[in-house]
Amino acid sequence: MSKLETSAALLLAAVISSAAHAESSKYGIGRLATDREVAGWDIDIGRDGRGLPPGGGSVQDGRKLFEEKCASCHGEKAEGGIGDRLVGGQGTLTSAKPVKTVGSFWPYAPTLFDYIRRAMPMNAPQSLSNQEVYALSAYILNLNGLVPDNATLDAKSLAEIKMPNRDGFVPDPRPDVKNEACSKDCKN
Amino acid sequence: MSVQERSDRKSGIMKRSRRDVLRRGSVLAGSALAGAVLPESAHAAGEADKNLPPNIPEWMKSPGADVGSELYGTPSLFEKKVVRNVPKDLKQYTSASCRTPLQDLDGIITPNGLFYERHHGGIPTIDPAEHRLLIHGLVERPLILTMDDVRRFPSQSRIHFIECSGNPAYDAIYGKTASDLVGLVSCAEWTGVPLKTVLEEAGLKPQAKWVIAEGADAAALTRSIPIEKCLDDAMLVYSQNGERLRPAQGYPLRVLLPGFEGNMNVKWLRRLHATDEPAYSREETSKYTDSMPDGKARQFTFYMEAKSIITRPSGTHKIEKGFNEITGIAWSGHGRIVGVEVSVDEGRSWAPAQLQAPVLTRALTRFRFPWYWDGEPAVIMSRATDESGYVQPTFAELTKVRGLNSFYHNNAILPWRVATSGEVSNANVKA
């Protein structure tokens, strides 16, 4: 197809798609999103790993990246600083001072990929490659004793990790506190 | 005309002419002018009283500032202390919060410049011409909308509060002011389009049970909204109190979920993803879940339960013996406030306060209670009841069930102590 023909075909496709949208919807406002547009913006990773991209990353690579890009906020050993503590705390959730970290609290490992990719590092979010995000996820899981030193994680292996606190969440039972509307001689 | 009045007028004329000289005489040396003006103001008898009766106030003796001298108006010079309450010495301010000065405000509407803030990746600067909303996932027609598109839909305006779920944290009930305690609640009139309208435009599929909303900020903040709420009173809003959203409130577009915790009202909205299950994002697993004494954490704790606080008199205020109006705000994520009671004897007895109309669902409600203070030490507090019959609990009742580590959703009664001096302070004292 010549350039002109391609443009004409694209224009026609756009007209048809807009017309299709206008006919089937109530207001005909907006335009249809292309698959490419959706793929570029949809960065959601499900708890079961759905949406995880191809590729993978190793604990070893993650360690280097962490030192370069994360340690200044999260601490050399991910013990916390300006940023959250990421390690330890397992077994503390029923104590008077629960320590909530990736290892002790996060229920799903793929969420780590989702969050690092969308929001970290804080000064340059969405700057890491998928490989780098896999590597950092692997390293943080390794620091928490959840994968071995020589591990390389990809979509399948990341989704297969069972986080210690996976079953630690319950639905909202409120209203759970009952107060009497006492007006005289109240105990308080 | 008394001698005094005459002399006031005379000096007024003199002042005006001197001021005109000041305006025109920019080439004159400052020192010479100061020499000419200072003696008059310095010798004026009773300097402190010069604008008080029977004298004529200075600001009546010459014209004020020109019409339109401020293209976007700001509060009086004398209200400079009424500003957001920003915590000092935080480790960083990119993901942090600051509070509405509730004790300085009247009525139920929060001025836009004083609305509370909670951001997770700072406040982005977004050109609305370059902003897009993508709707995709379990829809018949994935759509891209410009801001012009969004504004073409049939619009609605409604008054609702937004409240941060940690307002205050369970270990933060000792703050000095009303703002320190519950300043992470604000209320505005919002204008936008019902979320239902936009989702229907994209053709929601029956399998869609949740909609994941994502912000265009540096946190790409993501929360999942149950489909029932999406199809009920959820809105996409672009205006707040009549003007476009402020950048700190999500300009150019945010989600509004009346009665749900603030974090879910995603700002700078760029994407709605219709799905069969929640995202289980970081913000709805490791954060914004409520830890219980048994180690379990409550998840998807959306609703903000009934709460109230006396804002005047409140911490750092000082009152006089005799008549004092007690006033404050009450609100509930579960609907309208049906009653607020006030106790002036540390909770031993309670009497109903007057509710100021309008009393709107999921909006701040102003209450008032006339009080004659006898000068004896007192503890005053308020207790809200909403239309579901739910009564605001005491902190003791709340923590008996939830312990001290649940952080979010503390809606306990907040008591103020009035000392014999009339000074008001927080009656919650750290043990």
Side-chain angles (χ1 to χ4, degrees), chain B residues 237-280:
Chain B
V237 298
Y238 38 76
S239 284
Q240 175 183 0
N241 293 334
E243 62 179 0
R244 297 290 181 271
L245 293 172
R246 294 289 174 91
Q249 293 308 319
Y251 183 86
L253 189 68
R254 82 177 299 172
V255 175
L256 179 74
L257 303 176
F260 277 23
E261 61 185 10
N263 179 252
M264 299 182 71
N265 296 250
V266 173
K267 302 191 288 269
W268 314 292
L269 180 72
R270 75 155 193 166
R271 193 160 65 89
L272 294 169
H273 184 184
T275 62
D276 57 350
E277 69 161 33
Y280 294 97

mmCIF file of all heavy atoms in Angstrom, chain B residues 237-280:
data_model
loop_
_atom_site.group_PDB
_atom_site.id
_atom_site.type_symbol
_atom_site.label_atom_id
_atom_site.label_comp_id
_atom_site.label_asym_id
_atom_site.label_seq_id
_atom_site.Cartn_x
_atom_site.Cartn_y
_atom_site.Cartn_z
ATOM 1 N N VAL B 237 -15.411 14.316 38.675
ATOM 2 C CA VAL B 237 -15.637 15.746 38.866
ATOM 3 C C VAL B 237 -14.480 16.577 38.320
ATOM 4 O O VAL B 237 -13.326 16.162 38.356
ATOM 5 C CB VAL B 237 -15.906 16.109 40.345
ATOM 6 C CG1 VAL B 237 -17.158 15.414 40.830
ATOM 7 C CG2 VAL B 237 -14.736 15.769 41.243
ATOM 8 N N TYR B 238 -14.856 17.741 37.773
ATOM 9 C CA TYR B 238 -13.853 18.659 37.234
ATOM 10 C C TYR B 238 -13.934 20.027 37.899
ATOM 11 O O TYR B 238 -13.092 20.879 37.659
ATOM 12 C CB TYR B 238 -13.971 18.791 35.710
ATOM 13 C CG TYR B 238 -15.398 18.808 35.169
ATOM 14 C CD1 TYR B 238 -16.200 19.932 35.290
ATOM 15 C CD2 TYR B 238 -15.928 17.669 34.552
ATOM 16 C CE1 TYR B 238 -17.498 19.936 34.813
ATOM 17 C CE2 TYR B 238 -17.233 17.666 34.071
ATOM 18 C CZ TYR B 238 -18.019 18.802 34.203
ATOM 19 O OH TYR B 238 -19.311 18.793 33.736
ATOM 20 N N SER B 239 -14.964 20.256 38.699
ATOM 21 C CA SER B 239 -15.055 21.551 39.377
ATOM 22 C C SER B 239 -15.353 21.378 40.855
ATOM 23 O O SER B 239 -15.980 20.406 41.281
ATOM 24 C CB SER B 239 -16.135 22.429 38.735
ATOM 25 O OG SER B 239 -15.673 22.958 37.518
ATOM 26 N N GLN B 240 -14.901 22.373 41.606
ATOM 27 C CA GLN B 240 -14.983 22.359 43.062
ATOM 28 C C GLN B 240 -15.336 23.766 43.511
ATOM 29 O O GLN B 240 -14.608 24.710 43.191
ATOM 30 C CB GLN B 240 -13.614 21.943 43.600
ATOM 31 C CG GLN B 240 -13.454 21.970 45.086
ATOM 32 C CD GLN B 240 -12.020 21.599 45.499
ATOM 33 O OE1 GLN B 240 -11.183 21.324 44.662
ATOM 34 N NE2 GLN B 240 -11.769 21.620 46.778
ATOM 35 N N ASN B 241 -16.473 23.897 44.188
ATOM 36 C CA ASN B 241 -16.939 25.223 44.621
ATOM 37 C C ASN B 241 -16.963 26.205 43.455
ATOM 38 O O ASN B 241 -16.514 27.351 43.567
ATOM 39 C CB ASN B 241 -16.073 25.752 45.773
ATOM 40 C CG ASN B 241 -16.266 24.926 47.026
ATOM 41 O OD1 ASN B 241 -17.321 24.307 47.217
ATOM 42 N ND2 ASN B 241 -15.269 24.878 47.876
ATOM 43 N N GLY B 242 -17.451 25.742 42.321
ATOM 44 C CA GLY B 242 -17.698 26.640 41.206
ATOM 45 C C GLY B 242 -16.560 26.865 40.239
ATOM 46 O O GLY B 242 -16.783 27.305 39.118
ATOM 47 N N GLU B 243 -15.351 26.586 40.662
ATOM 48 C CA GLU B 243 -14.207 26.777 39.753
ATOM 49 C C GLU B 243 -13.580 25.422 39.472
ATOM 50 O O GLU B 243 -13.860 24.444 40.163
ATOM 51 C CB GLU B 243 -13.178 27.733 40.365
ATOM 52 C CG GLU B 243 -12.569 27.215 41.664
ATOM 53 C CD GLU B 243 -11.531 28.143 42.281
ATOM 54 O OE1 GLU B 243 -11.263 29.207 41.728
ATOM 55 O OE2 GLU B 243 -10.999 27.785 43.338
ATOM 56 N N ARG B 244 -12.726 25.370 38.457
ATOM 57 C CA ARG B 244 -12.062 24.116 38.142
ATOM 58 C C ARG B 244 -11.295 23.618 39.362
ATOM 59 O O ARG B 244 -10.796 24.416 40.164
ATOM 60 C CB ARG B 244 -11.090 24.290 36.974
ATOM 61 C CG ARG B 244 -11.759 24.695 35.677
ATOM 62 C CD ARG B 244 -12.600 23.568 35.091
ATOM 63 N NE ARG B 244 -13.185 24.018 33.844
ATOM 64 C CZ ARG B 244 -14.358 24.646 33.732
ATOM 65 N NH1 ARG B 244 -15.125 24.829 34.798
ATOM 66 N NH2 ARG B 244 -14.786 25.069 32.570
ATOM 67 N N LEU B 245 -11.172 22.311 39.463
ATOM 68 C CA LEU B 245 -10.413 21.712 40.555
ATOM 69 C C LEU B 245 -9.065 22.393 40.703
ATOM 70 O O LEU B 245 -8.440 22.764 39.708
ATOM 71 C CB LEU B 245 -10.136 20.227 40.250
ATOM 72 C CG LEU B 245 -11.292 19.243 40.205
ATOM 73 C CD1 LEU B 245 -10.775 17.903 39.688
ATOM 74 C CD2 LEU B 245 -11.917 19.080 41.575
ATOM 75 N N ARG B 246 -8.609 22.504 41.923
ATOM 76 C CA ARG B 246 -7.241 22.964 42.144
ATOM 77 C C ARG B 246 -6.285 21.800 41.822
ATOM 78 O O ARG B 246 -6.665 20.641 41.990
ATOM 79 C CB ARG B 246 -7.054 23.390 43.609
ATOM 80 C CG ARG B 246 -7.877 24.619 43.994
ATOM 81 C CD ARG B 246 -7.310 25.866 43.342
ATOM 82 N NE ARG B 246 -8.157 27.036 43.570
ATOM 83 C CZ ARG B 246 -8.008 27.883 44.602
ATOM 84 N NH1 ARG B 246 -7.094 27.677 45.522
ATOM 85 N NH2 ARG B 246 -8.792 28.936 44.709
ATOM 86 N N PRO B 247 -5.047 22.135 41.407
ATOM 87 C CA PRO B 247 -4.081 21.052 41.122
ATOM 88 C C PRO B 247 -3.983 20.048 42.274
ATOM 89 O O PRO B 247 -3.918 18.840 42.040
ATOM 90 C CB PRO B 247 -2.762 21.799 40.913
ATOM 91 C CG PRO B 247 -3.188 23.150 40.415
ATOM 92 C CD PRO B 247 -4.489 23.459 41.111
ATOM 93 N N ALA B 248 -4.000 20.559 43.506
ATOM 94 C CA ALA B 248 -3.865 19.670 44.662
ATOM 95 C C ALA B 248 -5.101 18.797 44.866
ATOM 96 O O ALA B 248 -5.084 17.872 45.675
ATOM 97 C CB ALA B 248 -3.597 20.491 45.920
ATOM 98 N N GLN B 249 -6.177 19.088 44.159
ATOM 99 C CA GLN B 249 -7.386 18.272 44.277
ATOM 100 C C GLN B 249 -7.651 17.467 43.014
ATOM 101 O O GLN B 249 -8.768 16.971 42.813
ATOM 102 C CB GLN B 249 -8.590 19.144 44.627
ATOM 103 C CG GLN B 249 -8.486 19.761 46.022
ATOM 104 C CD GLN B 249 -8.191 18.741 47.088
ATOM 105 O OE1 GLN B 249 -8.739 17.648 47.078
ATOM 106 N NE2 GLN B 249 -7.290 19.061 47.998
ATOM 107 N N GLY B 250 -6.657 17.351 42.153
ATOM 108 C CA GLY B 250 -6.788 16.423 41.044
ATOM 109 C C GLY B 250 -6.970 17.031 39.676
ATOM 110 O O GLY B 250 -7.345 16.326 38.733
ATOM 111 N N TYR B 251 -6.744 18.323 39.535
ATOM 112 C CA TYR B 251 -6.916 18.982 38.243
ATOM 113 C C TYR B 251 -6.249 18.188 37.138
ATOM 114 O O TYR B 251 -5.090 17.842 37.277
ATOM 115 C CB TYR B 251 -6.314 20.394 38.304
ATOM 116 C CG TYR B 251 -6.490 21.216 37.045
ATOM 117 C CD1 TYR B 251 -7.642 21.965 36.844
ATOM 118 C CD2 TYR B 251 -5.496 21.251 36.069
ATOM 119 C CE1 TYR B 251 -7.811 22.731 35.703
ATOM 120 C CE2 TYR B 251 -5.663 22.006 34.924
ATOM 121 C CZ TYR B 251 -6.818 22.742 34.738
ATOM 122 O OH TYR B 251 -6.985 23.495 33.609
ATOM 123 N N PRO B 252 -6.936 17.903 36.050
ATOM 124 C CA PRO B 252 -8.257 18.429 35.692
ATOM 125 C C PRO B 252 -9.447 17.503 36.016
ATOM 126 O O PRO B 252 -10.578 17.900 35.784
ATOM 127 C CB PRO B 252 -8.139 18.577 34.174
ATOM 128 C CG PRO B 252 -7.216 17.472 33.759
ATOM 129 C CD PRO B 252 -6.260 17.262 34.905
ATOM 130 N N LEU B 253 -9.210 16.299 36.558
ATOM 131 C CA LEU B 253 -10.328 15.362 36.744
ATOM 132 C C LEU B 253 -10.045 14.414 37.899
ATOM 133 O O LEU B 253 -8.945 13.867 38.005
ATOM 134 C CB LEU B 253 -10.513 14.527 35.455
ATOM 135 C CG LEU B 253 -11.757 13.642 35.358
ATOM 136 C CD1 LEU B 253 -13.029 14.488 35.264
ATOM 137 C CD2 LEU B 253 -11.667 12.721 34.134
ATOM 138 N N ARG B 254 -11.034 14.223 38.770
ATOM 139 C CA ARG B 254 -10.857 13.258 39.848
ATOM 140 C C ARG B 254 -12.119 12.429 40.024
ATOM 141 O O ARG B 254 -13.197 12.799 39.551
ATOM 142 C CB ARG B 254 -10.509 13.942 41.163
ATOM 143 C CG ARG B 254 -11.712 14.485 41.928
ATOM 144 C CD ARG B 254 -11.344 15.088 43.270
ATOM 145 N NE ARG B 254 -10.732 14.111 44.159
ATOM 146 C CZ ARG B 254 -10.187 14.414 45.328
ATOM 147 N NH1 ARG B 254 -10.165 15.657 45.757
ATOM 148 N NH2 ARG B 254 -9.663 13.475 46.084
ATOM 149 N N VAL B 255 -11.959 11.331 40.750
ATOM 150 C CA VAL B 255 -13.101 10.506 41.144
ATOM 151 C C VAL B 255 -13.678 11.084 42.433
ATOM 152 O O VAL B 255 -12.939 11.542 43.293
ATOM 153 C CB VAL B 255 -12.642 9.045 41.392
ATOM 154 C CG1 VAL B 255 -13.792 8.195 41.916
ATOM 155 C CG2 VAL B 255 -12.046 8.444 40.136
ATOM 156 N N LEU B 256 -14.992 11.070 42.565
ATOM 157 C CA LEU B 256 -15.637 11.430 43.831
ATOM 158 C C LEU B 256 -16.529 10.263 44.243
ATOM 159 O O LEU B 256 -17.450 9.891 43.513
ATOM 160 C CB LEU B 256 -16.483 12.696 43.673
ATOM 161 C CG LEU B 256 -17.202 13.113 44.959
ATOM 162 C CD1 LEU B 256 -16.223 13.731 45.961
ATOM 163 C CD2 LEU B 256 -18.324 14.087 44.670
ATOM 164 N N LEU B 257 -16.214 9.682 45.407
ATOM 165 C CA LEU B 257 -17.004 8.562 45.930
ATOM 166 C C LEU B 257 -17.575 8.999 47.269
ATOM 167 O O LEU B 257 -16.935 8.825 48.309
ATOM 168 C CB LEU B 257 -16.120 7.328 46.115
ATOM 169 C CG LEU B 257 -15.370 6.833 44.871
ATOM 170 C CD1 LEU B 257 -14.455 5.659 45.232
ATOM 171 C CD2 LEU B 257 -16.341 6.416 43.776
ATOM 172 N N PRO B 258 -18.767 9.589 47.262
ATOM 173 C CA PRO B 258 -19.307 10.161 48.496
ATOM 174 C C PRO B 258 -19.326 9.151 49.646
ATOM 175 O O PRO B 258 -19.851 8.042 49.494
ATOM 176 C CB PRO B 258 -20.729 10.572 48.092
ATOM 177 C CG PRO B 258 -20.633 10.828 46.616
ATOM 178 C CD PRO B 258 -19.664 9.786 46.118
ATOM 179 N N GLY B 259 -18.723 9.535 50.767
ATOM 180 C CA GLY B 259 -18.741 8.707 51.966
ATOM 181 C C GLY B 259 -17.619 7.688 52.056
ATOM 182 O O GLY B 259 -17.417 7.087 53.114
ATOM 183 N N PHE B 260 -16.885 7.479 50.958
ATOM 184 C CA PHE B 260 -15.786 6.504 50.975
ATOM 185 C C PHE B 260 -14.482 7.187 51.376
ATOM 186 O O PHE B 260 -14.327 8.398 51.208
ATOM 187 C CB PHE B 260 -15.597 5.866 49.587
ATOM 188 C CG PHE B 260 -16.537 4.710 49.313
ATOM 189 C CD1 PHE B 260 -17.729 4.584 49.997
ATOM 190 C CD2 PHE B 260 -16.210 3.757 48.354
ATOM 191 C CE1 PHE B 260 -18.598 3.518 49.733
ATOM 192 C CE2 PHE B 260 -17.063 2.683 48.087
ATOM 193 C CZ PHE B 260 -18.254 2.564 48.771
ATOM 194 N N GLU B 261 -13.529 6.398 51.887
ATOM 195 C CA GLU B 261 -12.274 6.971 52.368
ATOM 196 C C GLU B 261 -11.578 7.765 51.263
ATOM 197 O O GLU B 261 -11.626 7.399 50.081
ATOM 198 C CB GLU B 261 -11.357 5.895 52.942
ATOM 199 C CG GLU B 261 -10.938 4.829 51.959
ATOM 200 C CD GLU B 261 -10.111 3.716 52.614
ATOM 201 O OE1 GLU B 261 -10.011 3.660 53.859
ATOM 202 O OE2 GLU B 261 -9.556 2.893 51.869
ATOM 203 N N GLY B 262 -10.926 8.857 51.683
ATOM 204 C CA GLY B 262 -10.373 9.831 50.754
ATOM 205 C C GLY B 262 -9.481 9.238 49.683
ATOM 206 O O GLY B 262 -9.568 9.609 48.508
ATOM 207 N N ASN B 263 -8.639 8.308 50.075
ATOM 208 C CA ASN B 263 -7.680 7.697 49.144
ATOM 209 C C ASN B 263 -8.317 7.130 47.884
ATOM 210 O O ASN B 263 -7.695 7.084 46.821
ATOM 211 C CB ASN B 263 -6.924 6.583 49.902
ATOM 212 C CG ASN B 263 -5.911 5.871 49.033
ATOM 213 O OD1 ASN B 263 -6.118 4.726 48.660
ATOM 214 N ND2 ASN B 263 -4.841 6.542 48.686
ATOM 215 N N MET B 264 -9.576 6.712 47.977
ATOM 216 C CA MET B 264 -10.234 6.100 46.815
ATOM 217 C C MET B 264 -10.739 7.131 45.808
ATOM 218 O O MET B 264 -11.065 6.775 44.677
ATOM 219 C CB MET B 264 -11.421 5.258 47.283
ATOM 220 C CG MET B 264 -11.012 4.122 48.201
ATOM 221 S SD MET B 264 -12.435 3.153 48.670
ATOM 222 C CE MET B 264 -12.803 2.314 47.133
ATOM 223 N N ASN B 265 -10.807 8.389 46.244
ATOM 224 C CA ASN B 265 -11.298 9.463 45.372
ATOM 225 C C ASN B 265 -10.139 9.902 44.468
ATOM 226 O O ASN B 265 -9.608 11.003 44.586
ATOM 227 C CB ASN B 265 -11.821 10.632 46.197
ATOM 228 C CG ASN B 265 -13.034 10.257 47.040
ATOM 229 O OD1 ASN B 265 -14.147 10.690 46.772
ATOM 230 N ND2 ASN B 265 -12.836 9.437 48.068
ATOM 231 N N VAL B 266 -9.736 9.003 43.591
ATOM 232 C CA VAL B 266 -8.479 9.132 42.846
ATOM 233 C C VAL B 266 -8.406 10.462 42.092
ATOM 234 O O VAL B 266 -9.319 10.817 41.338
ATOM 235 C CB VAL B 266 -8.307 7.944 41.878
ATOM 236 C CG1 VAL B 266 -7.088 8.138 40.975
ATOM 237 C CG2 VAL B 266 -8.190 6.643 42.665
ATOM 238 N N LYS B 267 -7.296 11.175 42.315
ATOM 239 C CA LYS B 267 -7.083 12.486 41.680
ATOM 240 C C LYS B 267 -6.346 12.310 40.359
ATOM 241 O O LYS B 267 -5.730 11.289 40.115
ATOM 242 C CB LYS B 267 -6.272 13.375 42.632
ATOM 243 C CG LYS B 267 -6.944 13.576 43.992
ATOM 244 C CD LYS B 267 -6.282 14.660 44.821
ATOM 245 C CE LYS B 267 -4.935 14.280 45.361
ATOM 246 N NZ LYS B 267 -4.929 13.671 46.676
ATOM 247 N N TRP B 268 -6.380 13.350 39.527
ATOM 248 C CA TRP B 268 -5.683 13.363 38.234
ATOM 249 C C TRP B 268 -6.041 12.105 37.428
ATOM 250 O O TRP B 268 -5.182 11.467 36.797
ATOM 251 C CB TRP B 268 -4.159 13.455 38.447
ATOM 252 C CG TRP B 268 -3.799 14.491 39.467
ATOM 253 C CD1 TRP B 268 -3.933 15.829 39.340
ATOM 254 C CD2 TRP B 268 -3.285 14.268 40.810
ATOM 255 N NE1 TRP B 268 -3.531 16.458 40.500
ATOM 256 C CE2 TRP B 268 -3.132 15.537 41.412
ATOM 257 C CE3 TRP B 268 -2.945 13.131 41.547
ATOM 258 C CZ2 TRP B 268 -2.651 15.676 42.716
ATOM 259 C CZ3 TRP B 268 -2.464 13.274 42.831
ATOM 260 C CH2 TRP B 268 -2.330 14.543 43.396
ATOM 261 N N LEU B 269 -7.314 11.754 37.441
ATOM 262 C CA LEU B 269 -7.764 10.472 36.891
ATOM 263 C C LEU B 269 -7.411 10.332 35.407
ATOM 264 O O LEU B 269 -7.769 11.186 34.592
ATOM 265 C CB LEU B 269 -9.281 10.353 37.060
ATOM 266 C CG LEU B 269 -9.872 9.050 36.527
ATOM 267 C CD1 LEU B 269 -9.493 7.873 37.420
ATOM 268 C CD2 LEU B 269 -11.382 9.161 36.391
ATOM 269 N N ARG B 270 -6.718 9.238 35.068
ATOM 270 C CA ARG B 270 -6.372 9.033 33.664
ATOM 271 C C ARG B 270 -6.921 7.716 33.128
ATOM 272 O O ARG B 270 -6.953 7.494 31.924
ATOM 273 C CB ARG B 270 -4.869 9.069 33.465
ATOM 274 C CG ARG B 270 -4.130 7.829 33.933
ATOM 275 C CD ARG B 270 -2.811 7.686 33.181
ATOM 276 N NE ARG B 270 -2.225 6.352 33.396
ATOM 277 C CZ ARG B 270 -1.247 5.874 32.666
ATOM 278 N NH1 ARG B 270 -0.736 6.569 31.685
ATOM 279 N NH2 ARG B 270 -0.756 4.676 32.921
ATOM 280 N N ARG B 271 -7.332 6.795 34.035
ATOM 281 C CA ARG B 271 -7.695 5.483 33.521
ATOM 282 C C ARG B 271 -8.741 4.829 34.412
ATOM 283 O O ARG B 271 -8.659 4.906 35.646
ATOM 284 C CB ARG B 271 -6.432 4.604 33.473
ATOM 285 C CG ARG B 271 -6.585 3.320 32.679
ATOM 286 C CD ARG B 271 -5.213 2.788 32.269
ATOM 287 N NE ARG B 271 -4.426 2.396 33.428
ATOM 288 C CZ ARG B 271 -4.444 1.189 33.983
ATOM 289 N NH1 ARG B 271 -5.203 0.233 33.485
ATOM 290 N NH2 ARG B 271 -3.689 0.923 35.036
ATOM 291 N N LEU B 272 -9.724 4.193 33.772
ATOM 292 C CA LEU B 272 -10.726 3.382 34.462
ATOM 293 C C LEU B 272 -10.700 2.008 33.810
ATOM 294 O O LEU B 272 -10.926 1.879 32.609
ATOM 295 C CB LEU B 272 -12.116 4.011 34.321
ATOM 296 C CG LEU B 272 -12.322 5.360 35.013
ATOM 297 C CD1 LEU B 272 -13.637 6.007 34.568
ATOM 298 C CD2 LEU B 272 -12.310 5.199 36.539
ATOM 299 N N HIS B 273 -10.389 0.995 34.596
ATOM 300 C CA HIS B 273 -10.215 -0.362 34.087
ATOM 301 C C HIS B 273 -11.303 -1.238 34.695
ATOM 302 O O HIS B 273 -11.266 -1.532 35.897
ATOM 303 C CB HIS B 273 -8.809 -0.857 34.494
ATOM 304 C CG HIS B 273 -8.442 -2.190 33.962
ATOM 305 N ND1 HIS B 273 -7.249 -2.816 34.287
ATOM 306 C CD2 HIS B 273 -9.079 -3.033 33.108
ATOM 307 C CE1 HIS B 273 -7.187 -3.989 33.661
ATOM 308 N NE2 HIS B 273 -8.277 -4.149 32.948
ATOM 309 N N ALA B 274 -12.284 -1.620 33.870
ATOM 310 C CA ALA B 274 -13.379 -2.469 34.372
ATOM 311 C C ALA B 274 -12.894 -3.916 34.433
ATOM 312 O O ALA B 274 -12.376 -4.445 33.444
ATOM 313 C CB ALA B 274 -14.585 -2.343 33.444
ATOM 314 N N THR B 275 -13.023 -4.536 35.611
ATOM 315 C CA THR B 275 -12.477 -5.885 35.814
ATOM 316 C C THR B 275 -13.462 -6.756 36.600
ATOM 317 O O THR B 275 -14.480 -6.277 37.099
ATOM 318 C CB THR B 275 -11.161 -5.839 36.628
ATOM 319 O OG1 THR B 275 -11.448 -5.284 37.913
ATOM 320 C CG2 THR B 275 -10.099 -5.022 35.938
ATOM 321 N N ASP B 276 -13.091 -8.034 36.702
ATOM 322 C CA ASP B 276 -13.932 -8.960 37.473
ATOM 323 C C ASP B 276 -13.499 -9.040 38.930
ATOM 324 O O ASP B 276 -14.202 -9.602 39.759
ATOM 325 C CB ASP B 276 -13.917 -10.355 36.828
ATOM 326 C CG ASP B 276 -12.506 -10.905 36.701
ATOM 327 O OD1 ASP B 276 -11.537 -10.144 36.941
ATOM 328 O OD2 ASP B 276 -12.363 -12.092 36.351
ATOM 329 N N GLU B 277 -12.301 -8.523 39.256
ATOM 330 C CA GLU B 277 -11.869 -8.518 40.658
ATOM 331 C C GLU B 277 -11.021 -7.280 40.934
ATOM 332 O O GLU B 277 -10.562 -6.618 40.014
ATOM 333 C CB GLU B 277 -11.123 -9.805 41.020
ATOM 334 C CG GLU B 277 -9.758 -9.979 40.389
ATOM 335 C CD GLU B 277 -8.907 -11.017 41.142
ATOM 336 O OE1 GLU B 277 -9.463 -11.989 41.679
ATOM 337 O OE2 GLU B 277 -7.680 -10.827 41.187
ATOM 338 N N PRO B 278 -10.828 -6.962 42.232
ATOM 339 C CA PRO B 278 -10.057 -5.751 42.549
ATOM 340 C C PRO B 278 -8.612 -5.870 42.063
ATOM 341 O O PRO B 278 -8.136 -6.974 41.792
ATOM 342 C CB PRO B 278 -10.088 -5.686 44.077
ATOM 343 C CG PRO B 278 -11.103 -6.666 44.529
ATOM 344 C CD PRO B 278 -11.277 -7.669 43.448
ATOM 345 N N ALA B 279 -7.916 -4.748 42.012
ATOM 346 C CA ALA B 279 -6.504 -4.752 41.623
ATOM 347 C C ALA B 279 -5.633 -5.376 42.712
ATOM 348 O O ALA B 279 -4.568 -5.881 42.434
ATOM 349 C CB ALA B 279 -6.037 -3.331 41.357
ATOM 350 N N TYR B 280 -6.114 -5.355 43.967
ATOM 351 C CA TYR B 280 -5.267 -5.708 45.111
ATOM 352 C C TYR B 280 -3.968 -4.923 45.038
ATOM 353 O O TYR B 280 -2.876 -5.464 45.237
ATOM 354 C CB TYR B 280 -5.010 -7.221 45.182
ATOM 355 C CG TYR B 280 -6.274 -7.999 45.479
ATOM 356 C CD1 TYR B 280 -7.027 -8.580 44.462
ATOM 357 C CD2 TYR B 280 -6.729 -8.135 46.785
ATOM 358 C CE1 TYR B 280 -8.196 -9.268 44.731
ATOM 359 C CE2 TYR B 280 -7.893 -8.822 47.069
ATOM 360 C CZ TYR B 280 -8.626 -9.380 46.027
ATOM 361 O OH TYR B 280 -9.787 -10.063 46.309
#
